[in-house]
């Protein structure tokens, strides 16, 4: 639309720290995963329990209670300045999930929920790819696959939007 987006939420494999630095210089907020490194896990293990914040997530399904360590002073290779890193326990993984962002103002809960929403979209697309064999060279549903996928994505988005607006169905 001729202007930069306010926030980009994407998979960490999409770009490099140097590109994240360019996004930051342009004033574009980003939110992405960070790979777990043994040294990072070792640092977290040494933190006292008081360094972790309990967060109640608004989401369907399990894993609504998480513990977050919020660090505003992380330096990355090829990134000018500092990023904010959230280490999150309680999302159903054995080890913490790491998110990095240049959004220093938003509450951890909001950032975690934004990334979780992106993951939900990715999981639904993966289900449709498996159902329609979209990634196969020859599909079991010839010619209509593209239209079916577009209609399915659109219908899901409309239903999700309606569900969010109906009282009592936001977490269904």
């Amino acid at each position: 639309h001729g202007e930069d987006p306010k926030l980009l939420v994407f998979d960490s494999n999409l770009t490099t720290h140097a590109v994240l630095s360019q996004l930051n210089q342009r004033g574009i907020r980003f939110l992405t995963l960070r790979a777990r490194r043994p040294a990072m896990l070792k640092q977290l293990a040494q933190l006292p329990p008081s360094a972790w914040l309990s967060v109640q997530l608004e989401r369907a399904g399990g894993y609504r209670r998480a513990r977050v360590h919020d660090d505003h002073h992380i330096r990355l290779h090829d990134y000018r300045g500092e990023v904010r890193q959230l280490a999150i326990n309680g999302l159903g993984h054995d080890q913490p999930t790491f998110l990095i962002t240049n959004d220093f103002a938003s509450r951890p809960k909001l950032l975690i929920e934004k990334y979780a929403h992106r993951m939900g979209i990715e999981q639904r697309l993966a289900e449709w790819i498996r159902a329609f064999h979209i990634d196969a060279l020859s599909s079991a549903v010839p010619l209509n696959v593209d239209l079916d996928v577009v209609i399915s994505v659109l219908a899901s988005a409309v239903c999700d939007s309606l569900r969010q607006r109906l009282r009592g169905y936001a977490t269904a």
Side-chain angles (χ1 to χ4, degrees):
H1 299 282
E3 57 186 64
D4 287 337
K6 291 181 176 51
L7 173 68
L8 291 175
V9 182
F10 50 86
D11 187 87
S12 60
N13 294 326
L14 183 69
T15 191
T16 64
H17 294 162
V19 174
L20 293 179
S21 187
Q22 291 173 9
L23 291 174
N24 187 50
Q25 290 171 357
R26 288 175 55 185
I28 301 171
R29 290 182 304 140
F30 62 82
L31 178 61
T32 187
L33 287 175
R34 184 177 186 197
R36 293 179 193 100
R37 305 259 189 262
M40 294 163 50
L41 295 171
K42 187 176 179 181
Q43 278 182 320
L44 285 181
Q46 296 173 353
L47 292 175
S50 61
W52 295 84
L53 169 72
S54 291
V55 176
Q56 180 74 28
L57 302 174
E58 304 295 326
R59 56 184 282 188
Y63 308 110
R64 292 188 188 132
R65 291 188 181 163
R67 292 180 38 226
V68 181
H69 174 68
D70 190 356
D71 190 343
H72 287 243
H73 304 288
I74 298 295
R75 302 204 53 70
L76 302 173
H77 178 69
D78 289 337
Y79 185 91
R80 296 173 76 196
E82 296 177 331
V83 295
R84 178 182 186 187
Q85 176 178 279
L86 301 175
I88 309 142
N89 271 325
L91 297 179
H93 305 290
D94 291 337
Q95 296 180 333
T97 298
F98 289 90
L99 294 176
I100 55 171
T101 183
N102 60 347
D103 181 348
F104 291 91
S106 295
R107 294 187 346 231
K109 174 183 173 168
L110 177 70
L111 295 171
I112 296 166
E113 288 173 347
K114 280 194 181 293
Y115 200 83
H117 182 70
R118 179 204 113 26
M119 288 299 295
I121 292 169
E122 184 176 299
Q123 288 170 351
R124 277 187 243 130
L125 288 173
E127 289 169 5
W128 292 328
I129 287 170
R130 283 191 301 274
F132 291 114
H133 307 285
I134 294 169
D135 58 343
L137 292 175
S138 62
S139 174
V141 187
L143 300 177
N144 293 331
V145 170
D146 292 334
L147 178 61
D148 290 346
V149 171
V150 170
I151 289 172
S152 295
V153 171
L154 182 60
S156 178
V158 169
C159 287
D160 285 347
S161 178
L162 178 62
R163 180 177 48 83
Q164 292 295 327
R165 291 184 174 107
L166 293 174
R167 183 178 296 151
Y169 288 92
T171 58

